[in-house]
Amino acid sequence: MPVIGEFGRPPEMPAEVSPAMTTPMYWFYELAHASLNPARAMSDATRLALKNPLNPWGHTDFGKQIAAACEVFERTTRRYGKPEWGLDDTEVNGMRVPIEIHSVWEKPFCRLLYFERKLQHPLRHPHPRVLIVAPMSGHYATLLRGTVEAFLPTHEVYITDWSDARMVPVAAGRFDLDDYVDYVIEMLQMLGGNVHVVAVCQPSVPVLSAVSVMEANQDPFVPLSMTLMGGPIDTRRNPTAVNNLAAEKGIDWFRSHVITKVPFPHPGFMRDVYPGFLQLNGFISMNLDRHVDAHRNLFNHLVQGDGDLADKHREFYDEYLAVMDLTAEFYLQTVDEVFVKHSLPKGEMMHRGKLVEPSKITRVALMTVEGEKDDISGLGQTEATHTLCTSIPDDRRVHYVQKGVGHYGVFNGSRFRSEIVPRISDFMVSAANGARANAAE
């Protein structure tokens, strides 16, 4: 999920658009959203009235169509909040065990969540600890719910829970790509070693940078292994439409077209951001016909009383339409360094004034995972990591291409659960054994 669009690209705007328009853009959006509140409330009240089993109109075809139309209108005009994780239990060694989610580390722009499995008896052999670094690219970390769920039965799972920039006061300071790298390093240090890190798409660059910095500093808390999944390490390889957009437009276009200020009364009032509503516009515009058909089908399912299919629609779009703002400095720096300048593969990436050198990595095993049909991070872009990490022994590196999946299938879905997760788990075990063997020598 590259930062310029998890499933697409930013919306096109006329070439003459200037900061004079983009600056109040967020205010116009809030005004338009607020103006729809009365209609949304009336629509929801009408739907509830027609859903009442004592209302005879609700049992007619006309009444069902009105109720369905009201729900579709309300859902397409609401602002979706941060979804819940909904992971209450998991299966460990054939037994269902409850899960409690704790925040074990926190800074203004991120929390580190721990999915504690409340085991009745201690495990004979401790499970590997995994830090999943979620993308900071528009959607919340809950987009990786399926990823977390797949790892929970056999791993101790931690995940980064990035903050919505509009909810972070300006007094908390800036957050850019350098800060992102610092956050990853601090989380790994807090976990105290003996942990494996998994980066899903966009975080591949900052995670590789963080591990490189830690190795260069001889940090004792480097992870045992690093797994990069569908990440834009070298977007010059097999470039996709997303990659070409950045190269074509250049950083100045993004700065003048998609950056605006958070309006009052949000806590992040006057912070420069790439707003979630613009990102959502980009996500939807890439596949507009598909989304229109999906909502037409929702209307038909509601009229026909097909609750299961309607619930599936609600479940998907409750997650898909929930978006967060990104800080302008993080967004622009990432686009510039990763998609325009290609700084990391060129050996020009800097962190706090020092060169990032993946060739310094010697103690961390490396695995890269790509999807055969990935149209966001093209084949070879993640594999390029191996050409940068020249000091990792061949027996401690793995590259895997999953057949028949696109970008989303790299970290979610049936093939992820059945084919990718077991390979990552085996790799982690081998990496831990290799680290112990090296320490014993």
Side-chain angles (χ1 to χ4, degrees):
M1 288 165 285
V3 74
I4 61 173
E6 294 179 21
F7 301 103
R9 56 191 288 174
E12 292 283 2
M13 289 188 180
E16 64 273 11
V17 170
S18 68
M21 175 181 174
T22 57
T23 297
M25 183 172 16
Y26 215 141
W27 276 266
F28 294 152
Y29 169 78
E30 292 286 343
L31 180 62
H33 186 268
S35 69
L36 286 171
N37 282 341
R40 190 180 302 108
M42 180 63 70
S43 180
D44 201 36
T46 302
R47 179 186 66 85
L48 291 174
L50 290 171
K51 285 292 185 180
N52 190 324
L54 299 180
N55 186 340
W57 284 99
H59 301 283
T60 65
D61 289 341
F62 179 74
K64 292 177 181 178
Q65 291 175 1
I66 294 298
C70 287
E71 176 167 345
V72 171
F73 172 79
E74 192 278 330
R75 290 187 61 83
T76 54
T77 56
R78 78 163 70 155
R79 169 178 280 171
Y80 288 77
K82 183 178 181 179
E84 297 293 330
W85 281 98
L87 298 176
D88 300 320
D89 55 48
T90 189
E91 184 175 303
V92 180
N93 294 335
M95 297 184 62
R96 301 302 299 184
V97 297
I99 294 172
E100 289 187 6
I101 305 176
H102 307 288
S103 175
V104 296
W105 178 94
E106 188 167 349
K107 279 202 164 186
F109 289 94
C110 186
R111 296 186 303 161
L112 181 61
L113 301 182
Y114 171 47
F115 293 80
E116 182 181 4
R117 303 172 301 174
K118 310 298 287 188
L119 301 171
Q120 295 182 354
H121 306 286
L123 297 170
R124 181 174 301 177
H125 301 289
H127 285 164
R129 297 195 304 159
V130 179
L131 167 59
I132 300 175
V133 183
M136 191 179 188
S137 55
H139 285 99
Y140 292 94
T142 50
L143 189 71
L144 301 190
R145 184 183 295 103
T147 313
V148 172
E149 188 176 22
F151 276 109
L152 275 173
T154 52
H155 300 79
E156 295 281 352
V157 179
Y158 300 80
I159 193 169
T160 57
D161 184 27
W162 300 105
S163 303
D164 185 343
R166 76 171 176 264
M167 304 304 294
V168 183
V170 174
R174 292 162 46 89
F175 182 87
D176 59 17
L177 188 57
D178 287 333
D179 295 310
Y180 196 125
V181 173
D182 289 340
Y183 273 35
V184 173
I185 292 174
E186 290 184 32
M187 284 184 272
L188 289 170
Q189 291 173 336
M190 187 279 299
L191 292 173
N194 191 31
V195 66
H196 305 266
V197 63
V198 175
V200 180
C201 190
Q202 173 267 320
S204 294
V205 171
V207 166
L208 178 58
S209 299
V211 174
S212 300
V213 171
M214 294 177 77
E215 285 277 39
N217 294 333
Q218 292 298 304
D219 194 312
F221 300 123
V222 292
L224 297 171
S225 74
M226 171 175 57
T227 300
L228 309 181
M229 307 174 65
I233 298 298
D234 188 351
T235 58
R236 297 172 300 178
R237 295 192 178 190
N238 194 19
T240 64
V242 173
N243 309 145
N244 291 332
L245 173 71
E248 171 192 345
K249 297 295 185 181
I251 192 63
D252 290 336
W253 183 92
F254 288 93
R255 183 179 291 109
S256 63
H257 282 66
V258 301
I259 302 302
T260 185
K261 291 184 181 296
V262 176
F264 183 83
H266 298 296
F269 174 54
M270 293 305 290
R271 178 181 292 282
D272 287 329
V273 296
Y274 176 26
F277 70 87
L278 269 186
Q279 299 172 65
L280 185 59
N281 185 18
F283 301 156
I284 292 177
S285 64
M286 286 292 289
N287 298 284
L288 181 60
D289 291 344
R290 188 185 71 180
H291 294 297
V292 171
D293 288 342
H295 283 79
R296 183 186 298 113
N297 291 335
L298 171 64
F299 175 85
N300 293 331
H301 297 324
L302 292 170
V303 172
Q304 296 164 7
D306 194 335
D308 289 340
L309 291 176
D311 285 343
K312 288 182 179 179
H313 175 100
R314 296 187 188 104
E315 181 181 350
F316 174 80
Y317 278 98
D318 284 353
E319 187 78 51
Y320 187 79
L321 299 177
V323 289
M324 54 187 281
D325 294 357
L326 306 180
T327 63
E329 56 272 16
F330 166 75
Y331 173 74
L332 294 173
Q333 187 181 359
T334 301
V335 170
D336 195 32
E337 296 290 339
V338 178
F339 298 98
V340 177
K341 293 181 178 178
H342 312 291
S343 297
L344 187 58
K346 287 182 177 180
E348 301 170 356
M349 185 85 170
M350 303 295 290
H351 173 260
R352 304 297 181 196
K354 295 183 179 180
L355 189 65
V356 174
E357 300 178 89
S359 60
K360 297 286 188 181
I361 301 175
T362 59
R363 296 172 288 167
V364 183
L366 171 65
M367 181 176 187
T368 53
V369 181
E370 296 182 328
E372 179 188 26
K373 299 179 179 180
D374 195 334
D375 60 351
I376 301 297
S377 295
L379 275 177
Q381 293 186 8
T382 314
E383 185 183 13
T385 312
H386 293 275
T387 65
L388 304 177
C389 300
T390 55
S391 299
I392 300 177
D394 289 342
D395 61 351
R396 303 201 69 214
R397 61 170 77 225
V398 175
H399 177 64
Y400 177 68
V401 177
Q402 177 60 55
K403 302 294 184 182
V405 303
H407 188 71
Y408 191 76
V410 171
F411 60 90
N412 217 330
S414 59
R415 291 190 177 180
F416 170 74
R417 293 189 297 270
S418 63
E419 301 184 46
I420 295 178
V421 170
R423 286 179 167 85
I424 295 177
S425 298
D426 290 345
F427 166 73
M428 290 178 179
V429 171
S430 299
N433 292 337
R436 283 192 290 268
N438 291 338
E441 292 178 355

